[in-house]
Amino acid sequence: MLLKTQKKMQFDKELFKKSVLYNIKTLYRKTLEEATPQQVFQAVSYAVKDAIVDNWMETQKEYDKQDPKMVYYMSMEFLMGRALGNNMINLQSYEGVKEALDELGLDINIIEDQEPDAALGNGGLGRLAACFLDSLSSLGYPAYGCGIRYRYGMFKQQIRDGYQVEVPDNWLADGNPFELRRPEYAKEVKFGGYVNVYVDEKGRSHFKQEGYQSVKAIPFDMPIVGYGNGIVNTLRIWDAAPVECFQLESFDKGDYQKAVEQENLARNIVEVLYPNDNHYAGKELRLKQQYFFISASVQEAVAKYMRKHTDIRNFHEKVTFQLNDTHPTVAVAELMRVLMDEYYLTWDEAWDVTTKTCAYTNHTIMSEALEKWPIELFSRLLPRIYQIIEEINRRFIARIEQMYPGNHEKVRKMAIIYDGQVKMAHLAIAAGYSVNGVARLHTEILKSQELRDFYEMMPEKFNNKTNGITQRRFLLHGNPLLANWVTDHIGADWITDLSKMEGLKIYASDDKAQQEFMNIKYQNKVRLANYILEHNGVEVDPRSIFDVQVKRLHEYKRQLLNILHVMYLYNEIKDHPEMDFYPRTFIFGAKAAAGYRNAKLTIKLINAVADVVNNDASINGKLKVVFIEDYRVSNAEWIFAAADVSEQISTASKEASGTGNMKFMLNGALTLGTMDGANVEIVEEVGRENAFIFGLSSEEVIRFENYGGYHPTEIFNNDQDIRRVLMQLINGTYAPYDPDLFRPLYNSLLNTLSTSKADTYFILKDFKSYAQAQKEVEAAYRDTKGWAEKAILNVASSGKFTSDRTIQEYVDEIWHLDKVVIPVR
């Protein structure tokens, strides 16, 4: 572990103010009074960056001197959030900067709001990667994050007439003050062409890719600041540039398209995260993106190692690659290619190094999410890589046949290349020295269901690493009122040791502590209510129950169950206006993939229901529905802080882990959920009596999936409440101008027009159990003291769910990183 033995960095307020004013003058030729808010943000960021760079250089100098083992965390996405506030928090200079800016007449909150969220990720996968990088630096372990510098991210979500509209997220329009361009480490990445084989005088074959197109990968480095320890690791994101920028000869001949062909090839690779792959061109672009950043990262990792070492055969002793899901799995074949084609190792030598270097994290139980590529596409785009995977597959099948003679079913289930597809998860498992799930239930399901054959063949590779979150982002920065309250009661050690939260348990039943806690929650709800009024034009009551579901929109996450229940509640209120009903505000936030029809239609349904409910004066504000546009890290911090109820309602067995559940828990929201993913472990920590659990178990879901027996039409026919809600999807209640608008959602539940399974995610099966759990939520919330006790106990029981704990487990059980000590300067 890398330790910095010096104390908290001294903050020179006067020097900082001079730096801000100097930056405004030299960057924009303006005075402070003339500068725009965006220009002030840039100037402040560069002043903060000055302090970071000193620590960054010192950290790298010690790495060079002490030569520690390094993890390269490879991920298609890093959902970093805003950098300025997080960097100030981790430098322990937030209050000092705030005071300095106050003296300059500047509001730190307005300045922070000028920063766009870095559009480098989308959902839990990317946010987990960001938390891991924060923890690696804060714990002091040497690391690089490796990804792509997307110009427009996935997309910026706008809601127009209730529909999601995807627009480019031009987060780099004003530049990124925290990044450094590093052209000296540029790498060439090759696509297409063919492979020629040359035999040398010793009779050894050499493979050379020819007739290819190539792009130049240029790294941009972003600092990852450790909390209070002077350590700065690096997120390296790769931009693409043409090898030959502009072909003037073609332009002069009038062939304008050819003149910029190379530039367009490069630009396309880094334009957006997860381009729509509903068509062939989209699939090709996704594969290009994956190979682009992996090839560049692997080439540079090898080159960096060889700058200090002479024997590439010992590469694995100083480097480990952690593959964050299947997207980076091509690293296996790329490392083999570099070792054999550029360093002339034999196959066995290269395989020995590769299988001691690559480790794989699986993030999904959904078999359709385990990436597979058509052979035709893969072999045409990456001909040398495909050759290598073919040989890996041949040898792996030989191993399977040796262990299971004559068992063709094993080969069918486990082969890397089969049925015209290249199966990337199979490649990762065959080549990786470690395969981990991200919650205990998830790992057990992988071992007993989806990856059972692999587990039976090589059980030693499989292990669990339950996900975690960084408390520094999601409590210290996102909820300063609660963070200060926690520190006042148990001290500040929780910032780097979340297990200290347990000390709050003695305050859970204390009247004064409960009042303070609930007052903080109310203030955070007022803050979010003001945000909703400003952005949605909807007035919500901060005294109502804030029931929140914010996460990527997918059918298995069951936002549809949530909104169908809201429709049911609305019916109840309309039918029984005299009923005693505690006011509820249902808050949604989610992005749907651009090509995901039912997910996008669910967003429209939520907004259609909101339009009806929020404008019905007869219900006296008992029910409000809000869809927060463009859900992202910066507004998530406010949402987590304000939530009373955390909706974690995925179909049991489908959610690998979830991390939103942990962020809500840390901020004192009670979980309403299924026993799925990390919910299981949350309930273990806090006690079932301090959560609201409903629905089928994972075993019951798997049993129905394997053996049948679930018929949603029976529920439809026998339950008039459910039937009424479903009929409202197709009778114009929420779409009078187009009654059939929501019919695809209706059909997905009852499948009246298809031969495939109905209600795949058991929404109707779990509906009544969910409705009952919601009644229990209301009853519990009416008991203010009881609710406060439960909420405080949730915060006090959150210690396990820090990414610091997760990273320490990776270090101890998978990576075995070296300890490094930075001496006091």
Side-chain angles (χ1 to χ4, degrees):
M1 185 166 61
L2 179 70
L3 301 171
K4 184 131 182 178
T5 52
Q6 64 196 66
K7 295 186 177 178
K8 176 179 174 181
M9 183 191 82
Q10 294 299 309
F11 179 74
D12 188 328
K13 184 170 64 176
E14 294 306 316
L15 180 62
F16 182 81
K17 289 195 293 186
K18 288 178 182 176
S19 180
V20 171
L21 296 174
Y22 178 79
N23 289 340
I24 290 173
K25 182 177 74 172
T26 57
L27 289 171
Y28 303 110
R29 204 197 65 188
K30 288 185 177 181
T31 64
L32 176 61
E33 293 71 26
E34 296 170 329
T36 67
Q38 174 61 218
Q39 290 168 343
V40 172
F41 156 72
Q42 296 279 340
V44 170
S45 296
Y46 278 109
V48 171
K49 183 180 177 181
D50 283 346
I52 292 172
V53 167
D54 288 338
N55 289 341
W56 205 358
M57 292 173 68
E58 186 179 345
T59 301
Q60 295 304 313
K61 192 183 299 179
E62 287 301 320
Y63 287 169
D64 288 342
K65 185 167 79 177
Q66 300 183 38
D67 194 24
K69 189 177 184 182
M70 180 88 62
V71 61
Y72 288 78
Y73 196 83
M74 298 185 172
S75 180
M76 274 292 282
E77 46 176 304
F78 290 90
L79 192 58
M80 301 303 295
R82 292 170 173 169
L84 176 59
N86 202 67
N87 286 337
M88 291 188 294
I89 288 279
N90 283 6
L91 286 170
Q92 294 184 293
S93 62
Y94 193 93
E95 291 304 318
V97 171
K98 183 177 185 298
E99 192 176 311
L101 295 175
D102 283 344
E103 293 178 10
L104 290 172
L106 299 170
D107 185 334
I108 194 170
N109 295 311
I110 292 175
I111 291 171
E112 284 195 66
D113 280 344
Q114 298 305 307
E115 181 178 7
D117 284 49
L120 301 173
N122 170 42
L125 184 79
R127 186 53 233 172
L128 180 78
C131 286
F132 279 5
L133 293 186
D134 179 273
S135 288
L136 280 159
S137 289
S138 295
L139 293 173
Y141 291 112
Y144 274 92
C146 303
I148 296 178
R149 185 177 181 264
Y150 302 103
R151 292 202 173 106
Y152 299 109
M154 187 163 159
F155 56 80
K156 187 172 184 176
Q157 181 191 59
Q158 293 182 354
I159 302 298
R160 299 180 194 165
D161 191 28
Y163 289 96
Q164 170 181 292
V165 177
E166 303 90 20
V167 299
D169 186 357
N170 193 9
W171 70 288
L172 290 169
D174 295 301
N176 177 6
F178 287 104
E179 69 181 9
L180 290 175
R181 187 173 184 269
R182 308 299 300 276
E184 66 270 30
Y185 298 121
K187 296 288 178 280
E188 184 181 13
V189 180
K190 302 172 182 177
F191 300 103
Y194 52 92
V195 179
N196 266 334
V197 183
Y198 300 92
V199 180
D200 64 21
E201 62 277 5
K202 295 179 181 177
R204 179 170 173 179
S205 297
H206 298 274
F207 298 83
K208 187 176 181 184
Q209 191 172 345
E210 298 179 346
Y212 54 82
Q213 284 188 313
S214 65
V215 297
K216 188 189 298 181
I218 300 176
F220 284 71
D221 288 354
M222 294 172 62
I224 307 297
V225 181
Y227 182 80
N229 61 3
I231 295 153
V232 183
N233 282 325
T234 301
L235 169 59
R236 174 159 286 176
I237 49 176
W238 296 89
D239 196 8
V243 173
E244 184 181 348
C245 290
F246 184 73
Q247 298 180 29
L248 183 60
E249 184 180 356
S250 297
F251 189 86
D252 287 341
K253 291 178 179 177
D255 192 347
Y256 305 129
Q257 188 170 348
K258 186 171 179 59
V260 295
E261 183 180 50
Q262 294 298 312
E263 191 167 346
N264 290 338
L265 171 67
R267 283 190 64 89
N268 286 343
I269 290 173
V270 295
E271 293 281 44
V272 298
L273 167 67
Y274 300 143
N276 191 342
D277 63 353
N278 288 350
H279 44 76
Y280 188 88
K283 285 184 173 65
E284 180 178 38
L285 182 54
R286 281 207 187 192
L287 183 55
K288 275 185 179 176
Q289 286 183 327
Q290 291 178 16
Y291 183 66
F292 166 76
F293 93 91
I294 286 299
S295 177
S297 299
V298 170
Q299 288 184 61
E300 176 52 26
V302 171
K304 182 178 175 66
Y305 171 84
M306 291 303 292
R307 286 195 284 270
K308 290 186 67 69
H309 305 88
T310 57
D311 191 349
I312 191 64
R313 293 167 184 81
N314 298 324
F315 180 72
H316 57 279
E317 295 177 3
K318 293 296 183 181
V319 174
T320 188
F321 294 160
Q322 189 66 40
L323 312 179
N324 192 29
D325 214 357
T326 52
H327 312 122
T329 300
V330 73
V332 169
E334 176 65 5
L335 181 55
M336 290 288 290
R337 182 194 70 79
V338 171
L339 294 176
M340 292 189 298
D341 295 358
E342 297 180 14
Y343 289 89
Y344 307 115
L345 267 60
T346 65
W347 178 278
D348 289 340
E349 289 172 331
W351 185 247
D352 182 63
V353 172
T354 299
T355 54
K356 291 175 180 174
T357 301
C358 296
Y360 164 56
T361 300
N362 175 284
H363 281 277
T364 182
I365 297 162
M366 316 280 283
S367 58
E368 63 269 25
L370 298 174
E371 279 191 313
K372 309 171 188 73
W373 295 106
I375 286 176
E376 183 279 326
L377 168 62
F378 198 100
S379 60
R380 179 179 56 78
L381 194 64
L382 306 174
R384 178 60 179 139
I385 295 300
Y386 180 72
Q387 283 184 341
I388 292 169
I389 293 176
E390 270 195 321
E391 181 61 15
I392 295 173
N393 181 60
R394 186 188 69 79
R395 292 175 182 233
F396 186 54
I397 288 175
R399 276 186 63 198
I400 297 170
E401 291 175 337
Q402 184 179 6
M403 287 188 71
Y404 307 101
N407 192 335
H408 300 297
E409 185 65 10
K410 286 282 188 185
V411 172
R412 184 186 71 81
K413 288 181 178 179
M414 299 175 70
I416 299 165
I417 301 174
Y418 202 87
D419 274 347
Q421 294 179 317
V422 182
K423 301 181 179 184
M424 303 308 285
H426 295 192
L427 175 64
I429 298 167
Y433 68 88
S434 168
V435 178
N436 74 278
V438 291
R440 192 175 66 240
L441 175 63
H442 167 231
T443 302
E444 290 308 310
I445 291 173
L446 289 179
K447 285 158 43 173
S448 62
Q449 297 285 326
E450 292 301 325
L451 302 178
R452 178 179 175 178
D453 295 289
F454 291 94
Y455 175 67
E456 289 176 350
M457 183 176 176
M458 10 187 190
E460 71 284 354
K461 291 188 178 186
F462 284 75
N463 60 93
N464 176 60
K465 300 289 172 283
T466 297
N467 283 342
I469 60 170
T470 170
Q471 63 270 25
R472 293 168 287 277
R473 163 75 72 173
F474 291 106
L475 185 54
L476 187 59
H477 183 262
N479 193 348
L481 294 176
L482 183 57
N484 290 336
W485 182 85
V486 171
T487 298
D488 288 344
H489 286 79
I490 62 171
D493 287 350
W494 64 270
I495 298 170
T496 52
D497 181 2
L498 199 62
S499 68
K500 299 293 185 186
M501 284 293 196
E502 195 172 17
L504 291 173
K505 288 183 178 179
I506 61 173
Y507 298 102
S509 56
D510 179 80
D511 288 346
K512 181 172 181 289
Q514 289 178 354
Q515 290 171 4
E516 291 169 348
F517 185 92
M518 293 305 284
N519 182 53
I520 289 168
K521 179 64 73 173
Y522 178 76
Q523 290 182 65
N524 285 324
K525 291 168 76 172
V526 169
R527 179 176 71 168
L528 183 60
N530 291 333
Y531 179 93
I532 290 169
L533 183 61
E534 179 185 350
H535 291 85
N536 290 70
V538 177
E539 195 168 334
V540 300
D541 183 359
R543 291 164 298 186
S544 66
I545 301 172
F546 276 20
D547 184 306
V548 185
Q549 186 178 18
V550 287
K551 54 183 71 236
R552 179 172 60 91
L553 211 148
H554 192 288
E555 286 168 286
Y556 84 83
K557 295 179 184 286
R558 299 203 296 191
Q559 286 92 345
L560 183 56
L561 171 61
N562 191 342
I563 196 62
L564 291 175
H565 176 256
V566 173
M567 293 159 61
Y568 161 75
L569 288 180
Y570 181 58
N571 291 339
E572 290 287 288
I573 295 170
K574 293 291 284 183
D575 291 347
H576 308 286
E578 76 290 347
M579 72 183 286
D580 188 17
F581 183 86
Y582 202 98
R584 305 283 273 279
T585 300
F586 288 91
I587 299 170
F588 296 83
K591 288 182 178 180
Y596 195 166
R597 183 186 179 198
N598 273 9
K600 295 178 77 171
L601 197 56
T602 302
I603 291 175
K604 173 60 177 173
L605 176 63
I606 293 167
N607 284 302
V609 173
D611 194 45
V612 171
V613 169
N614 296 345
N615 291 294
D616 187 343
S618 72
I619 64 172
N620 297 317
K622 290 179 180 177
L623 199 61
K624 290 288 179 74
V625 181
V626 175
F627 187 92
I628 292 181
E629 181 182 72
D630 201 34
Y631 174 61
R632 58 198 185 277
V633 176
S634 53
N635 58 24
E637 293 178 19
W638 287 25
I639 294 167
F640 295 134
D644 294 308
V645 178
S646 162
E647 295 260 6
Q648 308 299 328
I649 60 176
S650 56
T651 309
S653 80
K654 302 304 176 193
E655 185 71 82
S657 168
T659 52
N661 46 10
M662 303 169 189
K663 295 159 196 165
F664 281 113
M665 181 190 196
L666 181 64
N667 283 274
L670 275 62
T671 299
L672 168 62
T674 55
M675 289 296 271
D676 194 27
N679 292 354
V680 176
E681 292 164 74
I682 286 175
V683 169
E684 283 179 3
E685 294 297 309
V686 75
R688 195 169 182 126
E689 68 278 10
N690 297 308
F692 304 94
I693 302 302
F694 74 95
L696 297 172
S697 68
S698 58
E699 293 83 3
E700 289 170 325
V701 168
I702 291 168
R703 196 177 307 124
F704 276 127
E705 289 176 334
N706 289 339
Y707 304 108
Y710 169 50
H711 306 289
T713 50
E714 292 180 2
I715 296 175
F716 177 83
N717 291 332
N718 295 319
D719 190 313
Q720 63 180 7
D721 292 330
I722 291 176
R723 184 166 64 252
R724 180 182 180 188
V725 167
L726 263 60
M727 290 306 296
Q728 288 174 333
L729 290 175
I730 58 172
N731 67 11
T733 300
Y734 296 103
Y737 52 90
D738 182 6
D740 275 337
L741 177 63
F742 300 116
R743 186 169 289 277
L745 298 179
Y746 174 90
N747 290 342
S748 73
L749 296 171
L750 296 174
N751 230 2
T752 56
L753 301 178
S754 173
T755 57
S756 61
K757 285 184 180 178
D759 194 12
T760 308
Y761 298 109
F762 301 93
I763 287 172
L764 302 189
K765 186 72 173 174
D766 277 350
F767 187 93
K768 280 299 184 182
S769 177
Y770 176 63
Q772 179 57 38
Q774 285 280 15
K775 288 178 182 176
E776 293 168 11
V777 167
E778 179 177 336
Y781 196 81
R782 288 178 183 275
D783 175 8
T784 305
K785 275 183 59 62
W787 187 275
E789 182 173 356
K790 291 175 186 292
I792 293 172
L793 285 172
N794 267 271
V795 178
S797 303
S798 62
K800 174 180 179 177
F801 303 106
T802 170
S803 49
D804 296 347
R805 185 266 313 153
T806 313
I807 286 298
Q808 192 60 53
E809 290 179 4
Y810 273 97
V811 168
D812 292 342
E813 299 168 24
I814 300 178
W815 301 333
H816 306 294
L817 301 184
D818 300 343
K819 289 185 178 183
V820 178
V821 177
I822 292 186
V824 178
R825 297 288 189 236

